[in-house]
Amino acid sequence: MSYRRTIKLVCGFAGGSAVLVVAAAAAESRGYFGDTQGERSGQWSRFNILQAAQPATWSTGNHTVASTGHAWDFNWDKRDPSPLFTNGKKKENTSEDPSSEQENGKPKATRNILFIRHSQYNLSGSGDHERILTPLGREQAEFTGQRLAALGLKYDIMVYSTMARATETANIISKYLPGVELVSCDLLREGAPIEPVPPVNHWKPDAVQYHEDGARIEAAFRRYIHRADPKQKEDSYEIIVCHANVIRYFVCRALQFPPEGWLRMGLNNGSITWLTVRPSGRVALRTLGDSGFMPPDKLTRT
């Protein structure tokens, strides 16, 4: 087999991998293919190199690569309708046609959830009531409010953590979104959702804090992150003003990433993280910690 033909085969199997092409060329020039030396090397035969170029599930006419992770769970929020079962038990005396009942129970709208991290606050406060926004933090909240208004979306509600810094951030933002309902929620307070992997040295809560905060934050996730109700006809846009740990944990859970990886992400103060939840159960992350609407000298992460 000629050098040129060998390269074409390698490129065809490996998608043009430069490393494999170089390896093939080196083997050809040194006679490992047997064209110049008259014999084949068992270790570096054409078959060995072409076999190495094949994906794990390669087959003729199909270059599909098998997933190395877990399959996506479409019923992660337990809202996938079933015509015959409710809460794991078979329905009795079903009057409606099963297919019609299932269709009526399917979500039809997309939920857009925009998470806002609170603005910069006074870290030296002795308690939550003293950990209010700094002058820069209030300015950051103004920028965030302006940005949300400029998006031109029809917001349905703004839910916020009851901690002082999140409450103040939400109140400033609300000035730019007149008519949007404000609702407070204790479940969204900052905390330690789950022990991070890999661990960090500068932040080590007690095990009991993970136990208590984790249950609360998980409860918040289940309350707010799910598919639309089947009765919802139009796409919705909801704002949740809370904290970095909560947002990062929510993102990992919603995308079905390992939740213990939440601390690998960073969020600026006043930033916007945008999740969409489709009727099918698919979840997409549109933005993570977007703060490009603020001047560079106004950016902080505290």
Side-chain angles (χ1 to χ4, degrees):
M1 183 182 292
S2 69
Y3 170 81
R4 182 175 297 177
R5 187 179 177 189
T6 301
I7 294 302
K8 285 183 178 179
L9 277 174
V10 171
C11 289
F13 284 115
S17 169
V19 174
L20 288 173
V21 169
V22 171
E28 177 78 21
S29 66
R30 295 174 184 175
Y32 290 142
F33 285 153
D35 291 335
T36 59
Q37 294 182 348
E39 58 184 42
R40 178 186 298 177
S41 166
Q43 183 178 5
W44 286 100
S45 67
R46 293 186 188 90
F47 177 76
N48 292 142
I49 291 181
L50 296 181
Q51 186 181 47
Q54 298 176 10
T57 59
W58 179 87
S59 61
T60 303
N62 181 8
H63 292 264
T64 301
V65 179
S67 172
T68 57
H70 297 290
W72 177 264
D73 178 10
F74 280 95
N75 197 27
W76 57 273
D77 59 353
K78 309 307 177 188
R79 292 169 185 255
D80 188 26
S82 173
L84 300 177
F85 295 88
T86 298
N87 297 327
K89 297 181 180 180
K90 189 173 181 179
K91 295 180 180 179
E92 301 293 341
N93 303 321
T94 303
S95 58
E96 280 192 85
D97 175 63
S99 61
S100 174
E101 185 176 358
Q102 183 179 25
E103 187 62 31
N104 292 336
K106 286 183 177 179
K108 301 171 181 62
T110 294
R111 294 184 66 216
N112 294 272
I113 307 169
L114 288 81
F115 298 98
I116 311 299
R117 189 193 175 194
H118 61 78
S119 301
Q120 185 190 66
Y121 68 103
N122 175 27
L123 291 169
S124 61
S126 60
D128 181 61
H129 67 287
E130 293 184 0
R131 292 172 184 165
I132 58 176
L133 300 186
T134 64
L136 174 56
R138 291 191 289 272
E139 193 174 358
Q140 290 169 340
E142 299 279 352
F143 282 119
T144 304
Q146 293 168 14
R147 174 60 175 170
L148 291 171
L151 290 175
L153 302 173
K154 183 181 178 182
Y155 301 107
D156 299 271
I157 194 172
M158 177 158 44
V159 185
Y160 59 92
S161 159
T162 52
M163 298 188 82
R165 53 190 181 271
T167 300
E168 191 175 358
T169 300
N171 287 332
I172 293 174
I173 291 174
S174 69
K175 297 188 305 181
Y176 297 91
L177 306 174
V180 176
E181 181 184 6
L182 282 169
V183 177
S184 64
C185 180
D186 281 331
L187 293 178
L188 294 168
R189 294 172 71 88
E190 184 63 301
I194 188 173
E195 189 169 358
V197 176
V200 293
N201 294 325
H202 63 277
W203 188 71
K204 290 186 176 181
D206 295 332
V208 66
Q209 186 175 353
Y210 285 120
H211 181 71
E212 295 176 352
D213 290 353
R216 171 178 55 78
I217 296 172
E218 174 64 20
F221 174 83
R222 298 188 185 194
R223 172 178 291 188
Y224 295 111
I225 316 302
H226 54 75
R227 274 172 277 191
D229 187 276
K231 297 178 181 179
Q232 182 178 323
K233 304 303 181 184
E234 298 181 355
D235 294 351
S236 59
Y237 296 86
E238 305 157 45
I239 300 171
I240 297 180
V241 183
C242 55
H243 310 270
N245 294 359
V246 177
I247 296 171
R248 293 181 286 186
Y249 177 78
F250 281 8
V251 168
C252 287
R253 284 282 284 109
L255 296 178
Q256 298 186 27
F257 292 164
E260 61 270 16
W262 63 273
L263 199 51
R264 303 172 201 171
M265 298 177 280
L267 301 176
N268 287 338
N269 294 114
S271 61
I272 300 173
T273 295
W274 187 338
L275 275 178
T276 61
V277 184
R278 304 292 183 188
S280 65
R282 292 183 182 274
V283 179
L285 180 63
R286 296 191 59 173
T287 63
L288 175 68
D290 176 27
S291 54
F293 49 86
M294 293 188 196
D297 61 339
K298 303 298 181 182
L299 299 177
T300 60
R301 189 181 298 174
T302 58

